[in-house]
Amino acid sequence: MNLINLEDSLENIQYEGHDEGRVINLPFPQLRCLIANRLNVSTLIFKSTFIERLYTSYCPITEFTAKLMNTLQYFVADSCKISNMNFLFNQNNENHVIKEIDLSYNILTEIPLIKSNSLQKLLINGNRITNVNSLANSSLPELQSLNISSN
């Protein structure tokens, strides 16, 4: 009989609730997709560096680890407490993997100069952004959808 170790094979997790913990540890090295909505946590710890899809809405999370940005294609963190987008890009403000960013209804105050030949959708509506000049100077040749309303 073969035993399956979930920690080594689990690729998708959906975890929703109102946990009162401050840290959730996800020790799954092959994790590709995480849906974690309405969690009352400040930190998510990942063993995987292969996450392609991350959905964390209505969480008091403020920032995410840069280790995920090499494979992350879809990032949705609407209605959280994120104050900047810098963690989504490398030190040169580049990310050529990500296709969708939804940071609507957070507390963003500015948009960094972005270089991405993969980003197709950028939703940053409902924040505190007062200047969008950096978008005009960004390199986003594949951008198809942009929402900056209600800022």
Side-chain angles (χ1 to χ4, degrees), residues 11-13 31-35 46 50-56 71-76 99-100:
E11 292 186 11
N12 300 293
I13 296 176
L31 186 64
R32 299 269 192 260
C33 177
L34 173 64
I35 301 170
F46 300 93
F50 301 107
I51 294 180
E52 297 168 352
R53 297 172 181 265
L54 180 56
Y55 305 95
T56 58
T71 58
L72 191 63
Q73 296 177 27
Y74 299 92
F75 180 72
V76 176
K99 295 179 181 179
E100 179 178 323

Side-chain angles (χ1 to χ4, degrees), residues 11 19 22 38 43 53-54 75 84 111 116 130 145 147:
E11 292 186 11
D19 289 5
R22 291 291 172 224
R38 299 187 185 280
T43 306
R53 297 172 181 265
L54 180 56
F75 180 72
N84 71 68
I111 306 165
S116 176
T130 57
S145 179
N147 189 342

